[in-house]
Amino acid sequence: GAGVSQSPSNKVTEKGKDVELRCDPISGHTALYWYRQSLGQGLEFLIYFQGNSAPDKSGLPSDRFSAERTGGSVSTLTIQRTQQEDSAVYLCASSWDRGSYEQYFGPGTRLTVT
Amino acid sequence: GNSVTQMEGPVTLSEEAFLTINCTYTATGYPSLFWYVQYPGEGLQLLLKATKADDKGSNKGFEATYRKETTSFHLEKGSVQVSDSAVYFCALSESDTDKLIFGTGTRLQVFP
C-alpha cells in the first residue's frame, strides 16, 4: 500500500516568509510524528499527534512553529517568519497506534531559507 | 532527559569485513530500542528493534542485543556488503508517547 507522503519535496523561501509543509500518513495510522533533520542538530522530535490532538509539542523550537491534524489524517506543519536556522529536512512519520512502536517515515521536505 | 550516544563516523570497511557500531543510551524506565537506516537518497527505514532487556533484534544479517546492565544496543554484522553503505541511527522510544530520541548517526562506507 501507499506509504507516508510529504509535500512539497523541496521548498526554497525567503527569510521572513511563512511556509506550510504537508504530511499524508498511512491510511488508518492514528499516531503521527514530525521530526527535523539538520546538520547541526541531527534528528530531533518536534510534535506528536494521537488522532487530532497533540499531547506532546515539547520539541517545537519556538512559537513560530505550529502544527495541526484534521480528520485524524493529514497534518500540516507551519513555520511563520522563517529564519535561516529553520533550514532542514522535515520528516513526518506515522504508526498504527501508540505502543506499536514501528514508525514509518516519509521522504521528507527539504526547506531552504535564503 | 533521555538520550542516545553512538560512535562517530564515518566507518570505512572493505567488503566482507565485520561491522560494529556502538550505541549507548540514558533513559528512565524501560524504553524500546531501534536501529534505523538511511540509504543514499532514500528515507529512514526501520532496520531492527528490541523491546525489552536481553531481546535480540535482527534483520538483513544485522543484529543488536538490548543490554540493560551496560545500557547498550550495539549494531553488528558479520560480513558487510557494498550495498550496506548508508547512515545508521540508533534510537530509543519513550514509553509515554513513543516519540523517538535519535543518536547523531554513523555513516558506513563499504568498499569492494
Side-chain angles (χ1 to χ4, degrees):
Chain A
V4 178
S5 61
Q6 294 185 245
S7 60
S9 55
N10 279 286
K11 175 74 176 177
V12 180
T13 190
E14 292 180 352
K15 178 181 170 182
K17 301 283 190 185
D18 298 351
V19 295
E20 284 190 353
L21 313 179
R22 177 188 168 106
C23 171
D24 281 270
I26 293 172
S27 178
H29 280 193
T30 63
L32 185 148
Y33 304 80
W34 284 97
Y35 297 88
R36 180 168 73 172
Q37 187 174 22
S38 58
L39 280 176
Q41 302 297 324
L43 262 165
E44 52 182 347
F45 165 81
L46 297 178
I47 187 169
Y48 154 64
F49 286 93
Q50 183 62 38
N52 291 335
S53 63
D56 189 348
K57 307 179 184 179
S58 62
L60 294 178
S62 75
D63 59 7
R64 296 186 295 104
F65 287 72
S66 62
E68 64 174 11
R69 188 178 185 196
T70 55
S73 181
V74 171
S75 177
T76 302
L77 177 69
T78 301
I79 308 173
Q80 296 179 308
R81 305 181 303 281
T82 52
Q83 303 295 311
Q84 288 189 327
E85 62 263 27
D86 300 335
S87 296
V89 177
Y90 290 81
L91 297 171
C92 176
S94 69
S95 67
W96 186 253
D97 198 353
R98 56 171 302 273
S100 66
Y101 304 126
E102 179 161 0
Q103 295 181 24
Y104 296 84
F105 281 80
T109 293
R110 182 176 296 279
L111 175 67
T112 304
V113 181
T114 62
Chain B
N2 296 342
S3 65
V4 175
T5 302
Q6 63 182 105
M7 62 189 289
E8 293 201 17
V11 173
T12 304
L13 295 173
S14 297
E15 207 165 23
E16 299 183 4
F18 184 85
L19 168 70
T20 300
I21 301 178
N22 290 337
C23 171
T24 57
Y25 67 91
T26 301
T28 55
Y30 303 97
S32 293
L33 301 174
F34 305 83
W35 279 98
Y36 277 82
V37 59
Q38 192 169 34
Y39 297 103
E42 297 186 17
L44 270 172
Q45 303 173 27
L46 178 65
L47 180 60
L48 53 84
K49 68 179 183 184
T51 58
K52 61 182 187 298
D54 300 324
D55 269 3
K56 177 186 283 188
S58 60
N59 186 25
K60 299 182 180 180
F62 291 89
E63 293 183 339
T65 301
Y66 190 143
R67 300 284 187 203
K68 183 167 172 284
E69 63 277 13
T70 55
T71 61
S72 65
F73 193 55
H74 304 322
L75 182 68
E76 296 182 336
K77 187 174 184 182
S79 175
V80 293
Q81 305 300 312
V82 172
S83 57
D84 293 327
S85 298
V87 181
Y88 292 81
F89 294 90
C90 185
L92 66 81
S93 171
E94 297 194 340
S95 57
D96 51 349
T97 63
D98 298 332
K99 73 184 185 189
L100 294 170
I101 306 297
F102 287 93
T104 52
T106 302
R107 181 175 299 278
L108 171 64
Q109 298 174 319
V110 181
F111 294 95

